[in-house]
Coordinates of all heavy atoms in Angstrom, one line a residue:
V1559 N -45.7 -48.5 -19.9 CA -45.2 -47.5 -20.7 C -45.1 -47.9 -22.1 O -45.5 -47.1 -23.0 CB -43.8 -47.0 -20.1 CG1 -43.2 -46.0 -21.1 CG2 -43.9 -46.4 -18.7
A1560 N -44.6 -49.1 -22.4 CA -44.5 -49.5 -23.8 C -45.8 -49.5 -24.5 O -46.0 -49.1 -25.6 CB -43.8 -50.9 -23.8
R1563 N -47.1 -45.9 -24.9 CA -46.4 -45.2 -25.9 C -46.8 -45.6 -27.3 O -47.0 -44.8 -28.2 CB -44.9 -45.4 -25.7 CG -43.9 -44.7 -26.7 CD -43.9 -43.2 -26.4 NE -44.9 -42.4 -27.1 CZ -45.3 -41.2 -26.7 NH1 -44.8 -40.6 -25.7 NH2 -46.3 -40.6 -27.3
I1576 N -44.8 -38.9 -21.7 CA -45.3 -39.8 -20.7 C -44.5 -39.5 -19.4 O -43.3 -39.6 -19.4 CB -45.1 -41.3 -21.1 CG1 -46.1 -41.6 -22.2 CG2 -45.4 -42.2 -19.9 CD1 -45.9 -43.0 -22.8
S1578 N -44.0 -41.2 -16.2 CA -44.3 -42.5 -15.6 C -44.1 -42.5 -14.1 O -43.1 -42.0 -13.6 CB -43.3 -43.5 -16.2 OG -43.4 -44.7 -15.5
A1580 N -42.7 -44.4 -12.3 CA -41.8 -45.5 -12.5 C -41.5 -46.3 -11.2 O -41.4 -47.5 -11.2 CB -40.5 -45.0 -13.1
F1618 N -34.4 -49.5 -9.6 CA -33.6 -49.3 -10.8 C -34.1 -50.2 -12.0 O -34.1 -49.7 -13.1 CB -32.1 -49.7 -10.5 CG -31.6 -48.9 -9.3 CD1 -30.6 -49.5 -8.5 CD2 -32.1 -47.7 -8.9 CE1 -30.1 -48.9 -7.4 CE2 -31.6 -47.0 -7.8 CZ -30.6 -47.6 -7.1
R1619 N -34.5 -51.4 -11.7 CA -35.1 -52.2 -12.8 C -36.3 -51.6 -13.4 O -36.5 -51.5 -14.6 CB -35.4 -53.6 -12.3 CG -34.1 -54.4 -11.8 CD -34.4 -55.9 -11.7 NE -35.4 -56.2 -10.7 CZ -35.2 -56.4 -9.4 NH1 -33.9 -56.3 -8.9 NH2 -36.1 -56.8 -8.6
E1620 N -37.2 -51.1 -12.5 CA -38.4 -50.4 -12.9 C -38.1 -49.2 -13.8 O -38.7 -49.0 -14.9 CB -39.3 -50.1 -11.7 CG -39.9 -51.3 -11.0 CD -41.1 -51.8 -11.7 OE1 -41.5 -51.3 -12.8 OE2 -41.7 -52.8 -11.2
A1621 N -37.3 -48.3 -13.3 CA -36.9 -47.1 -14.0 C -36.2 -47.4 -15.3 O -36.6 -46.7 -16.3 CB -36.1 -46.2 -13.1
D1622 N -35.3 -48.3 -15.3 CA -34.6 -48.6 -16.5 C -35.6 -49.1 -17.6 O -35.5 -48.7 -18.8 CB -33.6 -49.7 -16.3 CG -32.4 -49.3 -15.4 OD1 -32.3 -48.0 -15.1 OD2 -31.5 -50.1 -15.0
S1623 N -36.5 -50.0 -17.2 CA -37.5 -50.5 -18.1 C -38.4 -49.4 -18.7 O -38.6 -49.3 -19.9 CB -38.4 -51.5 -17.5 OG -37.7 -52.7 -17.1
D1624 N -38.8 -48.5 -17.9 CA -39.7 -47.4 -18.3 C -38.9 -46.5 -19.3 O -39.5 -46.0 -20.3 CB -40.2 -46.6 -17.1 CG -41.3 -47.3 -16.4 OD1 -41.5 -48.5 -16.7 OD2 -41.9 -46.8 -15.5
I1625 N -37.7 -46.2 -19.1 CA -36.9 -45.4 -20.0 C -36.8 -46.1 -21.3 O -36.9 -45.5 -22.4 CB -35.5 -45.1 -19.4 CG1 -35.6 -44.1 -18.3 CG2 -34.6 -44.5 -20.5 CD1 -36.1 -42.7 -18.7
E1626 N -36.4 -47.4 -21.3 CA -36.3 -48.2 -22.5 C -37.6 -48.2 -23.3 O -37.6 -48.2 -24.5 CB -35.9 -49.6 -22.2 CG -34.5 -49.7 -21.7 CD -34.2 -51.1 -21.2 OE1 -35.0 -52.0 -21.3 OE2 -33.1 -51.3 -20.6
E1627 N -38.8 -48.2 -22.6 CA -40.1 -48.3 -23.2 C -40.6 -46.9 -23.7 O -41.6 -46.9 -24.3 CB -41.1 -48.9 -22.2 CG -40.7 -50.4 -22.0 CD -41.5 -51.0 -20.8 OE1 -42.6 -50.3 -20.4 OE2 -41.2 -52.0 -20.3
G1628 N -39.9 -45.8 -23.3 CA -40.3 -44.5 -23.9 C -40.8 -43.5 -22.9 O -41.4 -42.5 -23.3
A1629 N -40.5 -43.7 -21.6 CA -40.9 -42.6 -20.6 C -40.0 -41.4 -20.8 O -38.9 -41.5 -21.1 CB -40.7 -43.2 -19.2
D1630 N -40.7 -40.2 -20.6 CA -40.0 -38.9 -20.7 C -39.7 -38.3 -19.4 O -38.8 -37.5 -19.2 CB -40.9 -38.0 -21.5 CG -41.2 -38.5 -22.9 OD1 -40.3 -38.5 -23.8 OD2 -42.3 -39.0 -23.1
F1631 N -40.5 -38.7 -18.3 CA -40.2 -38.3 -16.9 C -40.3 -39.5 -16.1 O -41.0 -40.5 -16.4 CB -41.3 -37.3 -16.4 CG -41.6 -36.1 -17.2 CD1 -42.3 -36.1 -18.4 CD2 -41.2 -34.8 -16.7 CE1 -42.6 -34.9 -19.0 CE2 -41.5 -33.7 -17.3 CZ -42.2 -33.7 -18.5
L1632 N -39.6 -39.5 -14.9 CA -39.7 -40.6 -14.0 C -40.2 -40.0 -12.6 O -39.6 -39.1 -12.1 CB -38.3 -41.3 -13.8 CG -37.7 -41.9 -15.0 CD1 -36.3 -42.4 -14.7 CD2 -38.6 -43.1 -15.5
I1633 N -41.3 -40.6 -12.1 CA -41.8 -40.2 -10.8 C -41.3 -41.2 -9.7 O -41.3 -42.4 -10.0 CB -43.3 -40.2 -10.8 CG1 -43.9 -39.2 -11.7 CG2 -43.9 -40.0 -9.4 CD1 -45.4 -39.2 -11.9
I1647 N -31.8 -42.5 -8.7 CA -32.5 -42.4 -10.0 C -32.0 -41.2 -10.8 O -31.8 -41.2 -12.0 CB -34.0 -42.4 -9.8 CG1 -34.6 -43.7 -9.2 CG2 -34.8 -42.0 -11.1 CD1 -34.4 -44.9 -10.1
R1648 N -31.9 -40.1 -10.1 CA -31.4 -38.9 -10.7 C -30.0 -39.1 -11.3 O -29.7 -38.7 -12.4 CB -31.3 -37.8 -9.6 CG -30.5 -36.5 -9.9 CD -31.1 -35.6 -10.9 NE -31.1 -36.2 -12.3 CZ -32.0 -35.8 -13.2 NH1 -33.0 -35.0 -12.9 NH2 -32.0 -36.4 -14.4
R1650 N -28.7 -41.9 -12.3 CA -28.8 -43.0 -13.2 C -29.4 -42.5 -14.6 O -29.0 -43.0 -15.6 CB -29.6 -44.1 -12.6 CG -29.4 -45.4 -13.4 CD -30.3 -46.5 -12.6 NE -30.2 -47.8 -13.2 CZ -29.3 -48.7 -12.8 NH1 -28.5 -48.5 -11.8 NH2 -29.3 -49.9 -13.4
H1651 N -30.3 -41.6 -14.6 CA -31.1 -41.3 -15.8 C -31.1 -39.7 -16.0 O -31.5 -39.0 -15.1 CB -32.5 -41.8 -15.7 CG -32.6 -43.3 -15.7 ND1 -32.2 -44.1 -16.8 CD2 -32.9 -44.2 -14.7 CE1 -32.4 -45.3 -16.5 NE2 -32.8 -45.4 -15.2
P1652 N -30.8 -39.3 -17.2 CA -30.7 -37.9 -17.5 C -32.1 -37.3 -18.0 O -32.1 -36.4 -18.9 CB -29.7 -37.8 -18.6 CG -29.9 -39.1 -19.4 CD -30.2 -40.1 -18.3
V1653 N -33.2 -37.8 -17.4 CA -34.5 -37.3 -17.8 C -35.0 -36.6 -16.5 O -34.5 -36.8 -15.4 CB -35.5 -38.4 -18.2 CG1 -34.9 -39.1 -19.4 CG2 -35.7 -39.4 -17.0
P1654 N -36.0 -35.7 -16.7 CA -36.6 -35.0 -15.5 C -37.1 -36.1 -14.5 O -37.9 -37.0 -14.8 CB -37.7 -34.2 -16.1 CG -37.4 -34.0 -17.5 CD -36.7 -35.2 -17.9
V1655 N -36.8 -35.8 -13.2 CA -37.2 -36.7 -12.1 C -38.3 -35.9 -11.3 O -38.1 -34.7 -11.0 CB -36.1 -37.1 -11.2 CG1 -36.5 -37.9 -10.0 CG2 -35.1 -38.0 -12.0

Side-chain angles (χ1 to χ4, degrees):
V1559 173
R1563 184 71 274 161
I1576 294 176
S1578 170
F1618 307 149
R1619 296 197 297 271
E1620 290 281 358
D1622 291 354
S1623 294
D1624 285 6
I1625 289 295
E1626 291 171 6
E1627 294 170 15
D1630 302 283
F1631 303 77
L1632 298 174
I1633 296 176
I1647 294 295
R1648 164 75 290 153
R1650 193 179 183 93
H1651 294 292
V1653 300
V1655 173

